[in-house]
Amino acid sequence: TILWPGNHTTDGYSAPPELLFIGSLFPFGGGWDIGNFIAPAFWIALDDINNNPNILPNYYLKGLMADTQCDALKGLDQFFKQRETSGNSLISVIGAGCSVVSQPIGRVSPLFN
């Protein structure tokens, strides 16, 4: 049995944490490669949260990352692929670094709440 901090059952053992998916959509190309600078912070933040038993106990954050290339259609495609990859349990999306991508995703994402 795997023991997870802060997730102990009454028998002293713990259940695995609930998996939560966090999507990220950053441009790594397409004229603006800011994703190369933002991506490391995304992974560090997830590691910090997952390794601190006082933050979101009983949960494990799994990151998904995709390159939008600052293109609205590519960004929407990657958003839908992340939803599919996560079993439609994507709880958040970070990004997209370009307004042309963020705006359409912002319009469709509430439809999945």
Side-chain angles (χ1 to χ4, degrees):
T1 301
I2 298 173
L3 297 177
W4 298 95
N7 196 16
H8 296 285
T9 61
T10 55
D11 62 5
Y13 293 100
S14 61
E18 183 178 344
L19 186 61
L20 302 176
F21 288 91
I22 307 290
S24 64
L25 301 167
F26 302 129
F28 291 92
W32 198 43
D33 63 351
I34 193 71
N36 293 315
F37 305 99
I38 299 172
F42 174 76
W43 296 118
I44 291 168
L46 290 182
D47 284 343
D48 285 350
I49 292 167
N50 286 331
N51 291 317
N52 186 332
N54 298 314
I55 302 175
L56 295 176
N58 306 323
Y59 295 97
Y60 181 83
L61 301 181
K62 179 165 178 63
L64 302 172
M65 186 172 289
D67 181 8
T68 67
Q69 298 180 9
C70 275
D71 181 280
L73 291 178
K74 288 179 184 177
L76 282 168
D77 181 55
Q78 291 301 327
F79 170 74
F80 289 116
K81 285 180 180 176
Q82 287 185 355
R83 287 199 41 81
E84 182 180 332
T85 298
S86 70
N88 292 326
S89 63
L90 190 66
I91 65 160
S92 179
V93 178
I94 297 171
C98 299
S99 295
V100 69
V101 177
S102 299
Q103 289 172 348
I105 291 171
R107 289 187 180 264
V108 299
S109 60
L111 302 174
F112 298 100
N113 284 341

